[in-house]
Amino acid sequence: MALIRGLLYMSVFFPLTFLIAAVAILSTLIDRRYYAWFARFWGRLGITMAGISVTVSGEELLPDGPIIVMSNHASNFDILAMQGYFPRPLSWIAKKELFSIPVFGWSMRRGGYIALDRGDGRKALKSMDEAAAQIKGGTSVIIFPEGTRTRDGQLLPFKRGGFLLAVKAGVPVVPVSIVGSFAINPGGSLGLNLGRSVQLTIHAPITLPAGMKRAEAEELLMQQVHTAVTGGLP
């Protein structure tokens, strides 16, 4: 039954996603700020269609200015929950190939989302520098430091790329613990379990002291984010 529910859900939600993306593109021709409204609407629509409730705690801990949010990643519904219910509009960092998808990728580009080139070292480094500059300029983003969804519900080892970007950008990093999404749609599964709940726990922002060597700063930041995220998981 879970698989059937998942397939039915996708058969309705995917076409709606492309429709909303198309309308969002048109809205940016009037004012780019409208895009954030459509992004939040899309996230909440996906959550509502699955009969899920979302609760958020720790909103008062968010600092002013641009931030980098880092959270665990257990399900596709992490994306919907963060997009729809995180207290601040967030842009996403994605591999550049996704931006070539008709309508969906075009919408991401119009929305100011950040494309990373994972090709050769020189292109990847330039792409990272451009992303850091965009964040410094005021764009708040979210990164899943595990790099992919967990298959067994356990937190995966963190990859270094997001922490390199965070050190380059020099903005506060806000850890978030997401609880409950794995039971709804486990990583690697098309099944869907309705009527569950997701909890987003926002932790205190992390700002590294000035003057640290880059490698040391990356390592310290990774340790602190890992500690904060795991501290909010069951």
Side-chain angles (χ1 to χ4, degrees), residues 142-162:
I142 179 169
I143 295 173
F144 294 128
E146 295 166 277
T148 187
R149 289 170 292 158
T150 177
R151 302 292 180 172
D152 60 5
Q154 301 300 309
L155 193 68
L156 297 172
F158 286 175
K159 298 183 181 299
R160 301 194 71 89

Side-chain angles (χ1 to χ4, degrees), residues 36 44 60 72 75 127 151 164 170 177 179 220:
R44 294 196 173 200
E60 70 281 358
N72 57 303
S75 162
S127 178
R151 302 292 180 172
L164 170 59
S177 301
V179 176
L220 178 59

Side-chain angles (χ1 to χ4, degrees), residues 15-192:
L16 287 176
T17 293
F18 278 85
L19 175 60
I20 294 169
V23 176
I25 291 173
L26 294 176
S27 76
T28 63
L29 300 177
I30 302 171
D31 191 326
R32 281 183 178 267
R33 289 175 295 182
Y34 290 150
Y35 190 90
W37 184 91
F38 282 100
R40 184 170 293 273
F41 172 76
W42 172 78
R44 294 196 173 200
L45 176 65
I47 290 291
T48 300
M49 287 176 58
I52 299 167
S53 62
V54 178
T55 58
V56 182
S57 63
E59 179 178 355
E60 70 281 358
L61 298 174
L62 290 174
D64 295 330
I67 58 174
I68 294 177
V69 175
M70 293 192 178
S71 77
N72 57 303
H73 192 19
S75 162
N76 286 322
F77 283 87
D78 298 332
I79 297 172
L80 296 173
M82 292 296 291
Q83 191 75 76
Y85 294 89
F86 193 79
R88 186 175 300 179
L90 297 172
S91 292
W92 295 81
I93 295 178
K95 56 185 180 181
K96 70 171 188 176
E97 289 80 7
L98 293 179
F99 289 76
S100 299
I101 298 175
V103 183
F104 183 76
W106 305 339
S107 177
M108 291 171 63
R109 194 174 299 280
R110 290 294 297 178
Y113 291 10
I114 298 174
L116 281 184
D117 190 333
R118 297 180 180 179
D120 62 60
R122 182 176 299 177
K123 288 183 179 179
L125 184 59
K126 180 181 178 182
S127 178
M128 189 78 73
D129 289 339
E130 290 173 350
Q134 188 169 337
I135 294 168
K136 286 181 181 179
T139 300
S140 292
V141 302
I142 179 169
I143 295 173
F144 294 128
E146 295 166 277
T148 187
R149 289 170 292 158
T150 177
R151 302 292 180 172
D152 60 5
Q154 301 300 309
L155 193 68
L156 297 172
F158 286 175
K159 298 183 181 299
R160 301 194 71 89
F163 299 95
L164 170 59
L165 177 60
V167 171
K168 283 179 172 289
V171 302
V173 174
V174 177
V176 173
S177 301
I178 303 176
V179 176
S181 63
F182 185 77
I184 297 167
N185 171 233
S189 170
L190 296 177
L192 177 61

Side-chain angles (χ1 to χ4, degrees), residues 171-223:
V171 302
V173 174
V174 177
V176 173
S177 301
I178 303 176
V179 176
S181 63
F182 185 77
I184 297 167
N185 171 233
S189 170
L190 296 177
L192 177 61
N193 298 306
L194 304 177
R196 305 299 179 95
S197 62
V198 174
Q199 299 83 44
L200 307 180
T201 301
I202 300 170
H203 301 286
I206 299 172
T207 302
L208 295 176
M212 294 186 67
K213 294 182 178 179
R214 191 178 73 185
E216 294 175 350
E218 290 174 26
E219 186 63 32
L220 178 59
L221 184 58
M222 184 184 295
Q223 293 174 2

